[in-house]
Amino acid sequence: MSELVFFSGTMDCGKSTLALQIEHNRSARGLAGMIFTRDDRAGEGKLSSRLGLVTDAVEVEDGVDLYAYLVDHLSRGGRADYVIADEAQFLAPGQIDQLARVVDDLEIDVFAFGITTDFRSKLFPGSQRLVELADRVEVLQVEALCWCGARATHNARTVGGVMVVEGAQVVVGDVNHSADEVGYEVLCRRHHRRRMTAASARAAALSPDVLPVAADGRG
């Protein structure tokens, strides 16, 4: 039986790397896949990982019917033994329904990869629909770590190293960014609630308002 599988996790936990591994393993066995993506860090029509691996993909725009796209591809003599959908959190709920139809009507496995919640700890609509429809939801076991060393469970958006909690849900950025631009950082729940990023933690540690402790311990 074909399946719709949702692989989820925070940023930096290896989702795209696993997508590329699945593509490699299956193509090495002579299978042909269809890869969809949206707003990848490497640019339009690319599926990339932070390890530097990259492959071509179909960029999904608003309003594209993914089921119809597959049917048209197959009717033209193309092959699609499986489908990979990376950055699936950016897909519309209706497009997730179309992927479910690919599984049910075309009997093609669909592997979707994405983060579940945004920088405000709110569900992405695409991810919510995947949780509702997927045959399986797999939480990736490669744990991203907060700056404090605890398991990272939340995604934070930063501007100049300062965490922000307002703005558009989708703003493309990366965990590797210069200090004066929009970026993202993974945090544990405690530090996400306190809005304490690695940069703000360093600033607090170096603050002149923090009194040194005297050698005799009296302060």
Side-chain angles (χ1 to χ4, degrees):
M1 295 291 292
S2 300
E3 287 187 305
L4 171 59
V5 186
F6 179 33
F7 295 92
S8 69
T10 63
M11 294 178 295
D12 239 4
C13 74
K15 296 181 300 301
S16 296
T17 300
L18 179 58
L20 287 162
Q21 185 68 54
I22 288 176
E23 160 65 13
H24 170 77
N25 289 350
R26 289 179 174 246
S27 63
R29 296 296 179 267
L31 300 176
M34 176 69 68
I35 304 176
F36 294 117
T37 190
R38 178 159 187 173
D39 294 334
D40 188 273
R41 69 183 71 85
E44 183 174 331
K46 298 294 182 183
L47 165 57
S48 67
S49 79
R50 301 189 199 285
L51 299 181
L53 304 174
V54 62
T55 192
D56 292 329
V58 176
E59 185 75 14
V60 179
E61 304 290 348
D62 292 336
V64 171
D65 186 322
L66 301 180
Y67 176 81
Y69 189 98
L70 261 296
V71 170
D72 181 67
H73 174 74
L74 295 172
S75 67
R76 293 171 180 269
R79 284 181 60 190
D81 301 307
Y82 59 94
V83 172
I84 291 173
D86 197 35
E87 306 293 357
Q89 72 274 6
F90 297 146
L91 299 181
Q95 290 172 323
I96 302 302
D97 284 82
Q98 293 156 15
L99 290 177
R101 189 180 177 192
V102 168
V103 174
D104 296 339
D105 294 359
L106 302 181
E107 298 184 350
I108 297 174
D109 285 320
V110 174
F111 306 102
F113 300 80
I115 58 179
T116 307
T117 58
D118 64 16
F119 69 106
R120 302 164 300 181
S121 297
K122 303 295 184 182
L123 285 168
F124 280 101
S127 298
Q128 178 177 333
R129 194 63 178 141
L130 274 165
V131 171
E132 293 165 349
L133 292 182
D135 297 294
R136 286 188 291 127
V137 177
E138 301 282 351
V139 179
L140 297 190
Q141 298 303 308
V142 177
E143 294 184 351
L145 299 179
C146 177
W147 60 264
C148 69
R151 178 173 176 264
T153 54
H154 289 61
N155 305 299
R157 180 183 295 169
T158 62
V159 177
V162 178
M163 181 175 162
V164 296
V165 293
E166 295 181 352
Q169 186 176 52
V170 179
V171 175
V172 179
D174 201 354
V175 294
N176 300 313
H177 59 90
S178 62
D180 59 348
E181 63 183 3
V182 174
Y184 290 90
E185 183 174 343
V186 288
L187 300 172
C188 63
R189 186 182 63 237
R190 176 184 292 109
H191 289 124
H192 191 276
R193 288 181 57 247
R194 296 176 180 176
R195 303 186 190 179
M196 183 172 285
T197 65
S200 60
R202 286 194 297 269
L206 297 174
S207 173
D209 295 330
V210 179
L211 295 177
V213 178
D216 60 6
R218 291 175 296 181

